[in-house]
Amino acid sequence: MSRQTSSLFSAALVGPALLGSIKKLDPRAMIRNPVMFVVEVVAALTTVLFIRDLATGGADLLFSGQIILWLWFTLIFANFAEALAEGRGKAQADSLRRTRTEMTAKRLTGQGRAFETVPGTSLKVGDVVLVEAGDLIPSDGEVIEGVASVNEAAITGESAPVIRESGGDRSAVTGGTQVLSDEIKVRITAAAGSTFVDRMIALVEGASRQKTPNEIALNILLAGLTLVFVFAVASIPSFASYAGGSIPVIVLVALFVTLIPTTIGALLSAIGIAGMDRLVRFNVLAMSGRAVEAAGDVDTLLLDKTGTITLGNRQATEFRPVRGVTEQDLADAAQLASLADETPEGRSIVVLAKEKYGIRARDMASLNATFVPFTAQSRMSGVDLQGTSIRKGAVDAVIASVSGQPVASRGSNVALAVRPEAETGVVGEIRAIAEEIAKAGGTPLAVAKDGRLLGVVYLKDIVKGGIRERFAELRQMGIRTVMITGDNPMTAAAIAAEAGVDDFLAQATPEDKLALIRKEQSQGKLVAMCGDGTNDAPALAQADVGVAMNTGTVAAREAGNMVDLDSDPTKLIEIVGIGKQLLMTRGALTTFSIANDVAKYFAIIPAMFLTLYPQLQALNVMHLASPQSAILSAIIFNALIIIALIPLALKGVAYRAVGAASLLRRNLLIYGLGGVLVPFAGIKAIDLAVSALHLA
Amino acid sequence: MTTNGWIQIALYCAVVLALVKPLGAYMTRVFTGERTFLSPVLAPIERGLYRVAGIDARQEQTWLAYAGGMIVFNLLGFVLLYAILRLQAALPYNPADQSAVAPDLAFNTATSFVTNTNWQSYGGETTLSYLSQMLGLTHQNFVSAASGIAVAVALIRGFARASTKTLGSFWVDMTRATLYVLLPVCIVFTLVLVSQGMPQTLGAYVDATTLEGAKQTIAVGPVASQVAIKMLGTNGGGFFNANAAHPFENPTALSNFLQMISIFVIGAALTNVFGRMVGDERQGWAILAAMGLLFVAGVAVTYWAEANATGVLSQLGLTGGNMEGKETRFGIAASALFAVITTAASCGAVNAMHDSFTALGGLIPLLNMQLGEVIIGGVGAGLYGMLIFVIVAIFVAGLMVGRTPEYLGKKIEAKEVKMAMLGILCLPLMMLGFTALATVVPAGLAGPANAGPHGFSEILYAYTSAAANNGSAFGGLTANTLFYNTTLAIGMLVGRFFVKIPVLAIAGSLAAKKTLPASAGTFPTHGGLFVGLLVGVVLIMGGLTFFPSLALGPIVEHFAGAAGQTFSTGG
């Protein structure tokens, strides 16, 4: 599913959508939408009356015929909006379906590599299959043995292969993806028909779409408003008879249909589908519309530090020598020690030494150097060359190696370690520098040459560019950000301050995460988080919006209510924006729809009652040409505005991260005041056209 | 329009505003069960009442039990009042020997007073005995008002509380509203009114011989005590048929001013109680501001319309505004102000004949009621009516900030919207539905005194007044008939209880929810933006529903009048 940017009204989409909008006239489908169902009922009734009049020869047939035609157009336009929204999802579903072509599976029959070839559809949960290089993975499952590179372009659109291996957090594989190298044994976790791809297809097609809580509430409001206008219009015939006249049914129907909130009624389901679709285009799959809505309501975002707030790796930013050693010397030694160090930290030291001190990379072989790799026991790495040994590593480990003492116990952190005795001289100085660095949120790396301490390399967690501004935006939206990290509180506090998050949870365990979510929720707040590991699953399930990384485990993917195919935890912020946009679009179009009624009244009421009370011509503020053209123009406007607003419904109202008050002021101005004014101009323009064409 | 007139209007607003805070603070103490300066006297009485009734004052009720209590209480009140009216001929305190009230009129009157409407199909001094007035009507004037306050307080608690099932006790709220709020103010107010020359006697009507030697019976009675609660409880049912236009029921300019104040004072102060109980007084002021804007606009239009002679009047050589149907003692400004106050506040007392107002001047009182009596409104009813509109406004506009709408930390969801729409729907159904019926059936068509749009307005006004529980009459309509008595009574019942019960359901649902802390993403509901939004929603919801009916009544009459056209009787 690649990120296509197809235009809204491309021919490939419009054709099937038009067909679909006719099919959707089926009353059994229409009844899901109370407002449009009512329109269909009155359209059908007036059509029957029209046919009767046609047979018996009634008056004003051209006028009634046009009104009825526009009533049906109103319905078709509403269906068109929905069909178009669904069509965009269908196109994506079709490309997904292609990956599900005839697949065979190599089901293991016992120990070893003995297997039988069976159709992919016959696999049951718990079966173990062998997947070799070039094979498609037959169904969703978990790697239980082996490592393989897998091409997941079929679902993520990303062609770079990813590694899938047994154990750990990268064990989930998805049916329909292809193993490129090596081979893995996969235990099947989803039966045919309920795999991840199946669910994706159902979701993007809207087949499993259910009304969300907010949609239900809005439908109640719209149904209520429709009823209000039933009363308002149904009482008119008796009022008219009191005034000594009568109003034709077709005119009453026209007034009724223009008054009830058809605009939002027509576009409501399209807005919902488009919201899901926006997420899909963003490579995020929401398992329900409810989850998208919840995203808009989120009060607290839990963000993992690594990968979300900071770049994945720490980088060297500074060389801090002890007295008597120049920065240049320290840089030189550190660079030598890191030349063969392929870790990102090691490489960053080489880069810094070159950038800051112009020390160029040297060839290990020509130096006749041997690399001493990092081990969990020594907690140091370095080089030995021509009788010189350089070591860099955890501060206490390096100090211990220099002073000949045994290495301090693992895990003690330099910043927190209690000093055994008052150290003097170089050791004391090194410790002081290290503590300072730790306090600032960095990681100190001591460097020693031939048993002499030279200084400390300052490794820093690099906060992602622009992230601070993002958090400021979130704060303006009223969302609190909490950074989750395994770091100690001091380091965490420093990074939290630099990144501008509102709070942090240091030395976090999965249990801590879960407890934090529960605490926030007990205050009535909605919490969003993302996670990938199996140990994240309880928290993902507890969170109101749990975004599982596609690279994550099966357990995590099952627990979350969204899956991010790109496995980019930063996306959580955009997901919230999309949720908000969905709700805003609904609110904006509802307001617009209701505000439209003012102008429609001024078009229809004077026209309608003109025969009873000519004085009401004074209310014809738009100076519409004739009563019939006024009514016709109003009903045409009512139908056309649906088409005009389809792009807005599908794209969503522009969202800016500003406070609620200014957002509301802006939207009220555009959709409230605009909703009052636009139809005056629109109806007048249509009236000019209608009278110029002599339609009424 | 005169400067004097505007000063009267401004002074009125200032005095009401000045009373909001002190009375609001006092009522908050009353309904949160704290001690007040009246407690030393009233607390023993209160405890005694509970003991007699077997009520445990600490026993709180769920919304269903609260609603159940309210319904049972009102039902029994109805039965008692109906019995008194039917049996008044046999009961004491009947010096004028009034006969039993007819069944349909008794049904209408009992409904009218139990629903705090005080629509009067009867003429007070020609129909009712002193006992009927005092034990029957005045009693309901108190308790129907108290029951409105109780429901409003329950709704406030719904917003103020979190994660609880109970809303307080209906019995306690009723008792406290009557004992601590209505009674003490009424006692003082009655004495002030008596000082202005209002009769307060149980003696018989006075026979007088006029200068020409004619015999005249002057009706008197326990007027002042009933007038006090009629205004304070936004009841509006006059002792005399002419209501507050009658010299004995409104003797002086001061009594007129004080009566106007007393109509608004509790309703306005309840917005402050709301603010205090939800922990942010500004929320109350915002609601009051929305009410105030609608009110001042209404007064300005009515005053302007009445002060400027219409085309027809000036053709007749009349200048200086429309004085038809107005007491010269009060003049145009005080009459226009009174008309807007009484219809905004669901009171229904009148000091001028609204029927004689100009088309536009009469449109505002009509519109005030059609908007659902939310501009200050009936005591309690105005606040909960306005809060229904708040729910709708917040729901639609709140979505536009990109969150599930919330008000005061409470999420507005399907259940609240459903109940709010139910409360909103029943008013147009009653107002428009019965008007539609009355304009086609002969029994209905027999009612209006005028032809054309004005006659239509008379019918529309009657049903609007009934369903909105206002009770003021446009005049001109012969309403004491089986048809009107029955249909108006149904309108009053639906307009009262089909709003109150959904309101309590909303309160119950809100109380059970958690209260979310406000954040920058929450749409602030104490500023000008919210006030403007609320005013807009009230006007659009009300205006859109009633535009066709208004067009056929006052609006067409206005344009016709401006063109010098009139509609003859019997047409």
Side-chain angles (χ1 to χ4, degrees):
Chain A
M1 191 168 31
S2 56
R3 287 182 193 157
Q4 317 134 326
T5 45
S6 54
S7 84
L8 275 179
F9 292 107
S10 75
L13 290 176
V14 170
L18 278 174
L19 195 67
S21 49
I22 306 288
K23 278 190 199 150
K24 280 170 186 283
L25 287 174
D26 183 343
R28 286 166 300 182
M30 290 297 276
I31 201 152
R32 273 172 59 88
N33 184 337
V35 178
M36 297 319 286
F37 182 72
V38 168
V39 176
E40 183 164 44
V41 169
V42 295
L45 281 177
T46 47
T47 307
V48 171
L49 289 178
F50 181 72
I51 292 168
R52 190 201 62 188
D53 286 352
L54 214 54
T56 59
D60 284 337
L61 282 178
L62 177 68
F63 172 68
S64 327
Q66 287 187 77
I67 296 278
I68 291 167
L69 205 61
W70 282 104
L71 289 181
W72 287 108
F73 276 144
T74 309
L75 285 164
I76 289 170
F77 291 165
N79 290 344
F80 178 71
E82 189 180 85
L84 195 63
E86 285 173 352
R88 304 212 300 166
K90 276 211 178 70
Q92 284 161 329
D94 288 342
S95 76
L96 278 173
R97 243 189 224 106
R98 261 175 258 128
T99 69
R100 254 192 346 179
T101 44
E102 290 295 297
M103 270 188 284
T104 55
K106 297 166 178 171
R107 184 161 66 193
L108 293 170
T109 49
Q111 293 300 312
R113 287 173 48 91
F115 62 82
E116 53 180 359
T117 306
V118 296
T121 46
S122 73
L123 289 172
K124 286 190 273 306
V125 176
D127 283 352
V128 177
V129 296
L130 177 73
V131 192
E132 294 171 296
D135 290 349
L136 286 174
I137 297 170
S139 186
D140 294 358
E142 197 165 7
V143 181
I144 54 171
E145 201 183 309
V147 185
S149 61
V150 178
N151 178 356
E152 294 194 337
I155 54 166
T156 62
E158 184 64 56
S159 55
V162 293
I163 299 297
R164 290 286 177 258
E165 59 191 338
S166 62
D169 289 345
R170 291 174 168 262
S171 61
V173 288
T174 310
T177 57
Q178 191 180 27
V179 171
L180 295 177
S181 69
D182 305 289
E183 61 175 44
I184 45 176
K185 285 180 185 171
V186 175
R187 188 194 295 117
I188 301 302
T189 54
S194 63
T195 64
F196 190 64
V197 172
D198 290 320
R199 278 193 294 170
M200 273 176 70
I201 292 171
L203 278 167
V204 294
E205 280 191 327
S208 60
R209 190 166 53 86
Q210 286 177 319
K211 280 191 187 145
T212 61
N214 178 261
E215 258 181 304
I216 292 170
L218 192 53
N219 260 315
I220 292 171
L221 180 89
L222 298 181
L225 282 174
T226 307
L227 263 179
V228 165
F229 290 118
V230 168
F231 303 154
V233 175
S235 57
I236 290 177
S238 9
F239 297 173
S241 91
Y242 176 86
S246 69
I247 308 287
V249 173
I250 193 73
V251 174
L252 291 172
V253 163
L255 176 65
F256 175 66
V257 171
T258 49
L259 289 184
I260 61 174
T262 48
T263 312
I264 178 66
L267 297 172
L268 189 55
S269 67
I271 294 169
I273 299 168
M276 296 279 275
D277 190 53
R278 265 197 298 282
L279 274 180
V280 170
R281 272 156 201 275
F282 203 61
N283 268 359
V284 174
L285 282 185
M287 294 304 161
S288 68
R290 189 185 280 259
V292 186
E293 249 169 41
D297 281 349
V298 160
D299 300 283
T300 308
L301 272 187
L302 302 192
L303 297 166
D304 280 324
K305 183 197 81 176
T306 308
T308 311
I309 296 169
T310 61
L311 297 169
N313 314 300
R314 284 175 284 232
Q315 294 189 355
T317 54
E318 210 181 328
F319 296 108
R320 303 274 294 270
V322 292
R323 248 171 298 161
V325 179
T326 62
E327 279 182 43
Q328 188 78 24
D329 290 342
L330 175 59
D332 187 64
Q335 192 246 20
L336 270 177
S338 307
L339 275 176
D341 185 354
E342 284 303 316
T343 64
E345 288 85 357
R347 267 177 292 176
S348 77
I349 291 174
V350 178
V351 169
L352 182 70
K354 184 179 178 190
E355 280 177 359
K356 225 171 163 183
Y357 304 100
I359 302 168
R360 296 202 299 174
R362 287 162 278 194
D363 183 32
M364 287 285 284
S366 63
L367 287 171
N368 200 10
T370 24
F371 179 57
V372 182
F374 178 87
T375 66
Q377 282 74 40
S378 70
R379 295 196 294 139
M380 292 185 297
S381 65
V383 285
D384 288 327
L385 73 164
Q386 297 150 6
T388 311
S389 89
I390 305 174
R391 292 289 181 274
K392 71 172 202 293
V395 175
D396 48 353
V398 175
I399 290 173
S401 77
V402 172
S403 58
Q405 287 165 358
V407 174
S409 65
R410 262 199 85 183
S412 76
N413 188 293
V414 95
L416 296 176
V418 183
R419 281 181 225 175
E421 62 219 66
E423 285 134 340
T424 49
V426 179
V427 172
E429 206 181 337
I430 288 278
R431 284 204 192 276
I433 296 171
E435 191 165 328
E436 197 181 308
I437 291 172
K439 265 187 188 151
T443 307
L445 211 57
V447 181
K449 187 176 182 182
D450 297 330
R452 182 179 159 227
L453 289 165
L454 296 180
V456 180
V457 180
Y458 184 168
L459 289 180
K460 199 174 173 188
D461 251 329
I462 302 295
V463 171
K464 283 186 177 175
I467 200 90
R468 201 184 165 84
E469 290 70 31
R470 299 292 294 277
F471 291 145
E473 276 181 15
L474 285 170
R475 202 167 302 115
Q476 284 214 303
M477 288 152 66
I479 296 172
R480 214 165 68 89
T481 44
V482 181
M483 181 181 84
I484 308 287
T485 173
D487 291 343
N488 66 70
M490 204 183 296
T491 311
I495 296 171
E498 188 181 346
V501 292
D502 297 303
D503 203 353
F504 63 88
L505 185 67
Q507 288 170 336
T509 62
E511 293 74 35
D512 293 341
K513 246 186 189 177
L514 190 61
L516 177 67
I517 294 174
R518 290 216 169 110
K519 188 180 133 238
E520 294 281 319
Q521 285 175 336
S522 72
Q523 296 163 13
K525 292 179 180 169
L526 263 63
V527 183
M529 67 164 284
C530 50
D532 52 4
T534 301
N535 54 15
D536 283 332
L540 278 173
Q542 180 72 35
D544 301 282
V545 178
V547 183
M549 299 294 110
N550 190 42
T551 53
T553 60
V554 173
R557 265 171 28 178
E558 289 294 326
N561 49 13
M562 289 192 192
V563 174
D564 177 15
L565 301 175
D566 296 340
S567 304
D568 171 8
T570 325
K571 271 195 192 166
L572 207 46
I573 299 170
E574 275 86 7
I575 291 173
V576 170
I578 289 173
K580 286 195 177 295
Q581 201 182 24
L582 172 72
L583 293 172
M584 275 168 55
T585 310
R586 267 191 212 141
L589 290 180
T590 306
T591 309
F592 188 82
S593 193
I594 297 172
N596 271 200
D597 282 3
V598 177
K600 291 170 186 168
Y601 261 130
F602 278 98
I604 295 186
I605 291 286
M608 182 180 215
F609 294 140
L610 205 62
T611 49
L612 302 176
Y613 297 117
Q615 300 88 347
L616 286 176
Q617 181 62 28
L619 289 181
N620 183 7
V621 292
M622 285 175 270
H623 299 289
L624 303 178
S626 72
Q628 288 199 344
S629 91
I631 293 166
L632 192 58
S633 302
I635 199 107
I636 293 176
F637 175 84
N638 193 54
L640 290 184
I641 195 74
I642 296 175
I643 290 286
L645 290 174
I646 287 178
L648 184 68
L650 297 190
K651 281 185 186 154
V653 167
Y655 175 67
R656 279 193 230 150
V658 291
S662 50
L663 205 57
L664 184 71
R665 188 173 305 116
R666 183 169 165 271
N667 284 337
L668 263 184
L669 203 67
I670 297 176
Y671 300 100
L673 197 62
V676 173
L677 298 178
V678 165
F680 278 101
I683 291 174
K684 177 68 186 173
I686 294 170
D687 176 72
L688 289 175
V690 163
S691 47
L693 296 170
H694 302 290
L695 292 175
Chain B
M1 289 188 285
T2 60
T3 315
N4 178 298
W6 285 113
I7 289 173
Q8 286 184 50
I9 292 167
L11 183 67
Y12 173 78
C13 295
V15 172
V16 170
L17 280 178
L19 287 170
V20 165
K21 239 178 128 78
L23 188 58
Y26 172 72
M27 287 204 288
T28 307
R29 294 187 78 84
V30 168
F31 291 111
T32 50
E34 290 172 49
R35 270 186 78 80
T36 65
F37 70 98
L38 289 175
S39 295
V41 186
L42 295 177
I45 303 175
E46 189 191 354
R47 280 195 297 275
L49 286 172
Y50 295 148
R51 206 171 303 124
V52 171
I55 302 286
D56 177 1
R58 285 158 306 179
Q59 183 73 40
E60 295 226 333
Q61 293 169 307
T62 63
W63 81 264
L64 266 175
Y66 202 100
M70 190 255 313
I71 290 167
V72 167
F73 182 82
N74 281 300
L75 187 67
L76 291 177
F78 171 84
V79 171
L80 176 70
L81 179 52
Y82 185 81
I84 292 175
L85 293 174
R86 296 286 290 137
L87 301 172
Q88 70 172 5
L91 294 169
Y93 295 110
N94 188 7
D97 281 330
Q98 310 282 15
S99 56
V101 181
D104 60 319
L105 181 58
F107 173 61
N108 181 282
T109 306
T111 307
S112 172
F113 279 77
V114 169
T115 57
N116 194 247
T117 310
N118 298 28
W119 170 267
Q120 291 171 291
S121 278
Y122 63 92
E125 66 273 41
T126 57
T127 318
L128 300 182
S129 72
Y130 288 172
L131 185 85
S132 295
Q133 294 260 24
M134 288 172 70
L135 187 64
L137 302 189
T138 310
H139 162 235
Q140 276 302 329
N141 278 350
F142 276 98
V143 294
S144 69
S147 129
I149 296 176
V151 171
V153 169
L155 180 59
I156 296 174
R157 291 201 189 106
F159 280 107
R161 294 180 174 187
S163 311
T164 173
K165 283 189 166 156
T166 60
L167 294 172
S169 162
F170 174 73
W171 311 114
V172 172
D173 290 340
M174 271 294 301
T175 309
R176 295 188 141 250
T178 314
L179 204 58
Y180 285 83
V181 181
L182 296 174
L183 262 178
V185 186
C186 275
I187 290 171
V188 177
F189 191 30
T190 302
L191 294 175
V192 174
L193 290 175
V194 169
S195 80
Q196 292 299 302
M198 204 179 279
Q200 178 72 17
T201 172
L202 289 177
Y205 292 176
V206 179
D207 283 326
T209 310
T210 62
L211 286 175
E212 293 89 13
K215 280 272 186 191
Q216 190 182 1
T217 305
I218 296 174
V220 291
V223 183
S225 61
Q226 199 187 318
V227 165
I229 185 62
K230 145 194 162 188
M231 296 301 181
L232 205 62
T234 59
N235 293 287
F239 191 91
F240 300 108
N241 198 20
N243 210 305
H246 192 290
F248 282 174
E249 201 158 328
N250 198 356
T252 63
L254 181 64
S255 77
N256 189 57
F257 188 77
L258 290 176
Q259 289 192 28
M260 291 195 295
I261 296 286
S262 60
I263 296 174
F264 262 13
V265 71
I266 292 185
L270 273 171
T271 60
N272 190 252
V273 175
F274 172 72
R276 285 173 191 269
M277 282 177 73
V278 300
D280 182 2
E281 271 191 77
R282 295 174 306 174
Q283 304 289 350
W285 289 116
I287 295 206
L288 187 61
M291 293 173 165
L293 268 178
L294 288 164
F295 171 68
V296 171
V299 172
V301 171
T302 306
Y303 184 32
W304 172 81
E306 294 307 304
N308 291 287
T310 62
V312 179
L313 287 174
S314 39
Q315 277 169 25
L316 295 171
L318 292 170
T319 52
N322 172 26
M323 274 302 289
E324 186 195 309
K326 295 188 182 65
E327 282 281 289
T328 43
R329 292 180 293 144
F330 306 131
I332 290 176
S335 298
L337 181 61
F338 199 112
V340 178
I341 293 167
T342 193
T343 50
S346 173
C347 178
V350 288
N351 77 346
M353 292 304 113
H354 295 180
D355 191 27
S356 300
F357 274 32
T358 60
L360 283 187
L363 181 144
I364 295 297
L366 191 56
L367 187 62
N368 276 343
M369 296 186 286
Q370 288 174 334
L371 296 181
E373 296 290 18
V374 294
I375 308 167
I376 306 296
V379 284
L383 181 66
Y384 63 66
M386 192 54 130
L387 287 173
I388 286 183
F389 277 115
V390 167
I391 287 174
V392 173
I394 287 282
F395 181 74
V396 176
L399 277 178
M400 282 198 287
V401 304
R403 283 174 72 91
T404 297
E406 58 198 63
Y407 181 56
L408 304 174
K410 299 287 189 180
K411 280 208 159 87
I412 306 298
E413 290 167 306
K415 175 149 192 209
E416 289 76 31
V417 173
K418 194 192 294 170
M419 290 299 152
M421 286 316 285
L422 200 62
I424 287 177
L425 275 175
C426 70
L427 292 186
L429 177 63
M430 289 297 111
M431 294 172 183
L432 295 175
F434 277 127
T435 306
L437 181 68
T439 46
V440 287
V441 299
L445 289 170
N450 295 77
H454 198 76
F456 177 77
S457 299
E458 288 170 2
I459 299 176
L460 179 65
Y461 193 103
Y463 287 109
T464 303
S465 173
N469 295 144
N470 181 280
S472 72
F474 207 41
L477 185 76
T478 309
N480 189 7
T481 65
L482 182 63
F483 175 80
Y484 277 106
N485 276 336
T486 315
T487 50
L488 287 167
I490 294 171
M492 292 185 261
L493 281 175
V494 172
R496 182 75 166 174
F497 293 101
F498 279 70
V499 179
K500 265 186 168 183
I501 295 169
V503 162
L504 286 174
I506 292 173
S509 165
L510 290 175
K513 293 185 186 204
K514 287 174 188 156
T515 302
L516 286 90
S519 72
T522 324
F523 150 44
T525 53
H526 51 73
L529 191 63
F530 173 74
V531 173
L533 171 72
L534 186 55
V535 167
V537 166
V538 169
L539 282 179
I540 286 194
M541 296 286 275
L544 290 182
T545 317
F546 296 100
F547 193 57
S549 60
L550 291 174
L552 289 177
I555 294 178
V556 69
E557 199 189 335
H558 169 75
F559 288 124
Q565 189 189 354
T566 54
F567 297 88
S568 58
T569 316

